[in-house]
Amino acid sequence: MTRSVYVTGIGRGDGRQVVELGVMELLTRQVDRVGVYRPLVHDAPDRIFELLRSRYRLTQDESTVFGLGYAEAATLQAEQGQAALTARLVEGYLRVAAEYDTVLILGSDFANTNLPAELGVNARLANECGASVLPVIGGRDQEAQSVVAEVRNAVHAYTNLGCDVIAMIANRVAPDQAEAIREQLDRTLDLPVYVLPDEKALSAPTVRQIVEALDAQVLLGDDAGLSRDAMDFVFGGAMLPAFLPALTPGCVVVTPGDRADLIVGALAAHSAGAPPIAGVLLTLDERPGEQVLALASRLAPGTPVLSVPSGSFPTAAELFGLDGRLDADTPRKAETALGLFETHVATADLTERLSVARSARVTPMMFEHALLERARAARRRIVLPEGTEERILRAAEVLLRRGVCDLVLLGEEDAIRKRAADLGIALDDPAVTLVDPQTSPLRERFAARYAELRAHKGVTLELAHDVVADVSYFGTLMVEQGLADGMVSGAVHSTAATVRPAFEVIRTRPDASIVSSVFFMCLADRVLVYGDCAVIPDPDAEQLADIAIQASGTASRFGVQPRVAMLSYSTGTSGSGADVDKVRAATELVRVRRPDLLVEGPIQYDAAVSPVVAATKLPGSEVAGQATVLVFPDLNTGNNTYKAVQRSAGAVAVGPVLQGLRKPVNDLSRGALVQDIVNTVAITAIQAQEDEA
């Protein structure tokens, strides 16, 4: 039976989009197929549905998402009564519920709806749909006592109308009052109340939104620059020495277009990262000359410079009336919103209250959600040696906004800050540390340690001093010395550059004879584990058995039940030859060493994953047709297969994840996307948690 949750409110301005996004995140962690239903809607497209569709890869037909427009609903209620309106809206819900395991229902927004007794409409509809209710109240610009009173009134309003209220959320409350509000509500209410403080980054408009609202002309800037959040507005009128100290991180500088000194000064400050700004807005339809614009583009590539015809005062009035939007075009705000929700909501408790039955199979999205959730549960410190690489910085922003782990970025500090500033990424979070291996006081300590470890290879202290200045060696020694819990590299470095320091410094675990790797292959309907696709070119039978045993352990640790297929060009006893014999011998070694593991080999790929083929080639096998861990006979086969599946089937390949090291170090594909990096860092953090358990 479909279990649904109805997110609603009591008035406008509650910012419940954060809660709707957060609840969708919880549902998709548990359930394969989640539907969305908005009974009452303003003009399409609906920005929250578009956000949910893009972020959670929803395939739901948009025609099934919406019930009625507000005007049509008001007319229906006036002419035929609330019962007729409710019946009509419930019909739409039932169509969605018939197709999905659970449904997220988005309540009315109380904004220019012309719908009498709107709270009652939401309550009755929730009851008729059999949905649990999660009301949200907005606390912006309210005192603590006022927020507490509104929460109590909302609870009574919905419970008196017969609703199953599972929790309450007070959103947008003053950060300095959040704890007091939480304590008062905990003492006086029997159900959980979660208090979300007002987050400035969510209410800040993007530069693109400013362009749209003011019909501004973009003189300079790229898409990344336009997506920056305008955290503040600084109006320039003073001379440059007095103006520069007024700049704040993420501000938009508003100044007449003839003030070339302020334009160049603000962009120069941005280039130095002191502080990074969101952009420059020129008023009075005055524009700097071509030479100034050329200098501006060189100083801060990508940073927006806008022009409007109005003066500073009317421009200011419009700017201060803008509020940030959470939609498909603001993915960075979505990360901030989810980080806020996950920090202040007891997600495990709320998930239990939602009473959603977990799907039997693990989908790619559920796998990715689980990684972030597990990493966040016990934060670790991960070092990223490629601190100036764009994808690394964008992944770092996601990880920090979601509170997944603490980070160390390696490289020249000014270069990292300048690159981050150009991308509109703030590095003022206390959870991130910048370290330059060339100048760090740790360099001497690491040189002595590396010389000690490699003395048998003739490494002197002088040579070690040069070696450890390399970011890969420096990061590896941070892990070895306990100054970081794990390392992820390879976005621009080769696998050898990442793995060699780990072999030399961290070395293998006592229970592992080799270091090997796996990829988590997130297909449309399942997650498979491929090994080894990155490290050992031509493993012998002993090594192949070790890869299989390690890979099954890695699979288990990340929620994939291991059923191991030892792959070959032959299935069962149908073929012979040196390559097949190697796989057959490796399979027997696995059975001897780990009799508890389900393993089959030699077996062809189609027989391993297709029940139809397995029924013909290996009937009765506990692995054939349902293998989850696929062990390739050599690197040539494994590497090409994972890339073929990744590119041709649209699979998400997470890895390579190294296994067998004493402490976690993981490599990235040089074609890794930002989400690949986020996932790999999360995996590394989880490995570090388990190593310390």
Side-chain angles (χ1 to χ4, degrees):
M1 181 177 179
T2 300
R3 174 75 169 180
S4 302
V5 57
Y6 197 115
V7 180
T8 184
I10 61 171
R12 64 184 304 175
D14 53 30
R16 87 181 71 144
Q17 296 84 3
V18 173
V19 178
E20 292 166 342
L21 184 65
V23 171
M24 188 66 166
E25 182 84 6
L26 297 185
L27 293 176
T28 53
R29 289 178 189 175
Q30 303 291 319
V31 178
D32 179 14
R33 290 173 51 77
V34 180
V36 178
Y37 182 56
R38 186 182 285 285
L40 297 162
V41 64
H42 291 290
D43 294 336
D46 181 80
R47 62 186 177 91
I48 296 304
F49 173 67
E50 292 301 320
L51 170 61
L52 298 178
R53 177 161 63 177
S54 64
R55 185 174 186 87
Y56 298 102
R57 308 162 203 160
L58 303 182
T59 58
Q60 183 178 350
D61 186 340
E62 189 172 355
S63 66
T64 68
V65 174
F66 307 115
L68 297 174
Y70 282 103
E72 185 180 1
T75 300
L76 180 60
Q77 179 167 286
E79 294 178 352
Q80 301 182 37
Q82 192 180 95
L85 173 61
T86 303
R88 179 82 172 272
L89 297 177
V90 169
E91 287 177 9
Y93 163 76
L94 292 175
R95 284 193 293 270
V96 179
E99 298 294 329
Y100 293 90
D101 301 323
T102 192
V103 181
L104 172 61
I105 308 175
L106 311 177
S108 67
D109 58 15
F110 295 86
N112 303 318
T113 61
N114 297 317
L115 198 65
E118 192 167 344
L119 188 151
V121 172
N122 282 286
R124 183 167 182 177
L125 186 55
N127 291 337
E128 294 294 338
C129 293
S132 298
V133 177
L134 183 60
V136 182
I137 69 102
R140 179 174 286 177
D141 300 326
Q142 293 190 51
E143 296 296 325
Q145 289 302 323
S146 176
V147 174
V148 170
E150 280 210 32
V151 170
R152 291 174 178 163
N153 290 339
V155 171
H156 295 148
Y158 279 104
T159 54
N160 289 343
L161 290 169
C163 294
D164 173 27
V165 179
I166 55 173
M168 281 291 305
I169 293 184
N171 190 29
R172 291 179 163 180
V173 305
D176 60 349
Q177 297 185 33
E179 188 58 35
I181 292 170
R182 186 181 298 109
E183 289 177 357
Q184 287 188 58
L185 290 170
D186 285 345
R187 289 196 302 268
T188 57
L189 290 178
D190 293 332
L191 79 167
V193 180
Y194 307 114
V195 181
L196 277 58
D198 203 8
E199 171 56 59
K200 190 174 182 181
L202 289 176
S203 57
T206 63
V207 178
R208 180 176 284 105
Q209 187 180 344
I210 292 173
V211 171
E212 295 169 355
L214 276 63
D215 195 22
Q217 183 177 356
V218 180
L219 304 181
L220 295 175
D222 56 20
D223 283 344
L226 293 173
S227 70
R228 298 177 189 175
D229 294 327
M231 301 296 292
D232 193 9
F233 299 106
V234 175
F235 293 83
M239 298 304 291
L240 188 61
F243 167 74
L244 288 177
L247 295 178
T248 58
C251 71
V252 169
V253 173
V254 184
T255 183
D258 58 358
R259 291 297 303 271
D261 58 331
L262 301 187
I263 298 168
V264 172
L267 294 174
H270 171 87
S271 179
I277 65 174
V280 177
L281 177 60
L282 309 178
T283 61
L284 298 174
D285 212 18
E286 292 280 348
R287 302 178 189 185
E290 292 299 322
Q291 288 183 324
V292 174
L293 284 176
L295 176 59
S297 67
R298 290 195 296 272
L299 278 172
T303 297
V305 176
L306 317 176
S307 176
V308 294
S310 56
S312 296
F313 184 78
T315 299
E318 290 193 70
L319 290 174
F320 288 120
L322 292 178
D323 203 4
R325 291 198 306 255
L326 188 60
D327 56 29
D329 294 327
T330 57
R332 295 166 69 187
K333 285 189 185 297
E335 300 295 349
T336 300
L338 286 171
L340 181 72
F341 183 86
E342 291 160 345
T343 299
H344 298 282
V345 173
T347 53
D349 180 61
L350 183 56
T351 300
E352 184 176 345
R353 287 176 172 274
L354 293 173
S355 301
V356 177
R358 190 178 185 91
S359 297
R361 65 192 182 95
V362 178
T363 67
M365 189 172 294
M366 292 165 67
F367 178 74
E368 291 181 3
H369 289 336
L371 292 181
L372 300 188
E373 189 175 14
R374 289 178 61 185
R376 190 185 301 109
R379 287 179 67 149
R380 293 294 183 265
R381 194 176 196 226
I382 306 301
V383 58
L384 305 175
E386 299 154 323
T388 57
E389 161 62 27
E390 177 178 346
R391 289 167 295 159
I392 293 294
L393 287 168
R394 293 198 181 282
E397 181 182 40
V398 173
L399 292 161
L400 293 170
R401 290 190 179 208
R402 297 291 299 276
V404 175
C405 61
D406 294 345
L407 296 173
V408 179
L409 298 177
L410 299 186
E412 184 184 350
E413 183 171 347
D414 287 346
I416 295 174
R417 291 195 181 279
K418 183 179 186 306
R419 186 63 176 135
D422 289 340
L423 297 170
I425 296 171
L427 294 178
D428 53 355
D429 192 311
V432 62
T433 304
L434 308 187
V435 177
D436 185 353
Q438 297 284 344
T439 60
S440 171
L442 292 171
R443 185 174 177 181
E444 302 299 329
R445 169 180 164 183
F446 287 176
R449 177 58 176 161
Y450 184 71
E452 176 189 351
L453 291 170
R454 303 297 289 173
H456 66 289
K457 293 292 185 178
V459 174
T460 64
L461 183 61
E462 182 180 9
L463 177 59
H465 190 265
D466 291 335
V467 171
V468 301
D470 176 85
V471 291
S472 296
Y473 276 93
F474 193 94
T476 304
L477 280 155
M478 287 193 76
V479 176
E480 194 268 345
Q481 290 286 287
L483 301 175
D485 300 303
M487 184 179 89
V488 174
S489 187
V492 292
H493 290 98
S494 67
T495 294
T498 300
V499 173
R500 186 185 299 112
F503 287 169
E504 295 178 0
V505 173
I506 293 177
R507 302 176 180 174
T508 58
R509 301 166 63 101
D511 60 347
S513 61
I514 58 171
V515 173
S516 60
S517 73
V518 296
F519 277 89
F520 289 97
M521 300 300 295
C522 301
L523 305 175
D525 61 346
R526 71 190 102 172
V527 176
L528 301 177
V529 177
Y530 284 10
D532 174 11
C533 304
V535 179
I536 303 176
D538 188 17
D540 59 27
E542 289 272 351
Q543 292 173 324
L544 208 55
D546 197 296
I547 291 168
I549 291 170
Q550 289 189 49
S552 63
T554 301
S556 293
R557 283 193 291 275
F558 290 94
V560 178
Q561 182 181 355
R563 292 186 291 272
V564 184
M566 308 293 287
L567 298 176
S568 174
Y569 62 78
S570 172
T571 294
T573 58
S574 65
S576 61
D579 291 338
V580 179
D581 292 342
K582 177 181 77 170
V583 174
R584 185 173 289 115
T587 304
E588 292 307 314
L589 285 171
V590 173
R591 287 173 175 152
V592 169
R593 295 177 187 173
R594 288 289 305 276
D596 57 308
L597 280 180
L598 295 176
V599 60
E600 190 70 70
I603 185 171
Q604 292 161 289
Y605 191 100
D606 59 349
V609 300
S610 169
V612 175
V613 177
T616 301
K617 293 189 174 183
L618 276 178
S621 170
E622 293 184 275
V623 173
Q626 51 184 337
T628 56
V629 177
L630 296 107
V631 180
F632 294 92
D634 54 58
L635 186 59
N636 180 52
T637 308
N639 190 268
N640 278 293
T641 301
Y642 107 74
K643 287 181 177 176
V645 173
Q646 179 187 32
R647 300 301 176 185
S648 300
V652 175
V654 181
V657 177
L658 299 184
Q659 42 191 26
L661 289 168
R662 290 176 183 267
K663 293 186 177 182
V665 171
N666 283 313
D667 185 31
L668 295 166
S669 165
R670 274 171 280 182
L673 303 176
V674 171
Q675 190 58 46
D676 300 334
I677 298 169
V678 170
N679 290 338
T680 303
V681 171
I683 284 175
T684 307
I686 295 167
Q687 288 177 313
Q689 292 170 1
E690 297 190 341
D691 286 346
E692 295 175 19

